[in-house]
């Protein structure tokens, strides 16, 4: 089973500083057309990214998936081509065990940089990134891994 969910209202308020009203306004990612591979994530509020600026953007979303799958997050193609925006890590990798972790419920954030020469304004509800689920393979002779994620972002190294 794979699915998107909103984070809890409590986590939403903590991570975004926004209100219950704003929590009710957004929805889980959706595909825009019949043959789209990516699920579009929307902006929770209006914001601007100025030239040479980097912004950490909360999505209000968490994702659950099968054990042999990963969610990859990409900047929308048009934002790269038209505005020279990019995600700082190029592609976000969301592992199954990030979902409902003890640090932040699995809240997915994106970090976007404006490498263009004009500010880019986003309106609430505008699509900003897209997520694509894909299966992954492991090596045949891998040792059994008992370690489980103990927290949120960056916790697999701990």
């Amino acid at each position: 089973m794979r699915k998107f969910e909103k984070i809890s209202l409590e986590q939403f308020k903590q991570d975004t500083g926004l209100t219950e009203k704003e929590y009710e306004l957004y929805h889980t990612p959706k595909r825009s057309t019949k043959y789209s591979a990516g699920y579009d994530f929307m902006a929770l509020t209006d914001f601007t990214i100025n030239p040479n600026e980097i912004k950490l953007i909360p999505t209000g979303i968490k994702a659950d998936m099968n054990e042999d799958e990963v969610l990859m997050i990409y900047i929308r193609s048009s934002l790269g081509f038209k505005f020279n925006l990019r995600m700082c890590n190029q592609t976000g990798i969301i592992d199954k065990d990030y979902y409902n972790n003890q640090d932040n419920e699995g809240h997915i954030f994106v970090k976007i940089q404006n490498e263009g020469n004009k500010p880019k304004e986003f309106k609430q509800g505008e699509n900003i990134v897209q997520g694509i689920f894909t299966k992954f393979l492991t090596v045949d002779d891998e040792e059994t891994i008992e370690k489980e994620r103990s927290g949120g972002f960056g916790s697999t190294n701990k």
Side-chain angles (χ1 to χ4, degrees):
M1 170 199 274
R2 71 194 60 79
K3 63 182 177 175
F4 292 108
E5 298 174 12
K6 287 184 173 187
I7 57 173
S8 69
L9 177 58
E10 179 181 295
Q11 187 76 53
F12 179 83
K13 287 179 177 180
Q14 177 183 319
D15 290 353
T16 66
L18 300 174
T19 67
E20 185 171 352
K21 180 181 176 186
E22 290 152 321
Y23 181 79
E24 298 300 326
L25 289 176
Y26 78 103
H27 57 75
T28 56
K30 306 265 187 271
R31 293 184 315 134
S32 296
T33 65
K34 183 177 180 178
Y35 298 110
S36 295
Y39 287 81
D40 293 321
F41 287 66
M42 65 166 46
L44 298 175
T45 61
D46 295 355
F47 66 92
T48 300
I49 305 177
N50 293 307
N52 300 312
E53 184 178 23
I54 296 172
K55 272 223 170 119
L56 182 63
I57 303 162
T59 67
I61 300 297
K62 59 184 177 177
D64 194 11
M65 64 207 83
N66 297 315
E67 291 180 9
D68 62 345
E69 295 176 341
V70 63
L71 174 63
M72 296 182 170
I73 307 289
Y74 302 93
I75 193 79
R76 295 190 72 236
S77 300
S78 61
L79 295 176
F81 279 103
K82 293 179 182 179
F83 304 102
N84 208 13
L85 299 182
R86 70 172 187 91
M87 285 182 42
C88 289
N89 59 341
Q90 304 301 318
T91 303
I93 302 296
I94 311 300
D95 299 310
K96 165 143 179 87
D97 58 0
Y98 189 66
Y99 177 77
N100 279 346
N101 72 73
Q102 67 188 24
D103 287 351
N104 66 6
E105 295 183 12
H107 187 184
I108 299 168
F109 286 77
V110 294
K111 201 172 198 181
I112 298 178
Q113 181 173 10
N114 183 345
E115 294 184 328
N117 57 10
K118 296 178 184 168
K120 171 58 178 135
E121 294 181 8
F122 288 89
K123 297 295 181 192
Q124 186 276 328
E126 186 176 345
N127 295 333
I128 52 174
V129 295
Q130 58 187 322
I132 299 173
F133 289 100
T134 190
K135 289 195 175 283
F136 65 87
L137 303 172
T138 57
V139 296
D140 292 333
D141 61 351
E142 183 173 74
E143 295 178 21
T144 302
I145 300 171
E146 299 294 334
K147 181 181 176 184
E148 294 184 18
R149 182 182 293 269
S150 61
F153 185 75
S155 66
T156 56
N157 271 353
K158 296 179 184 174

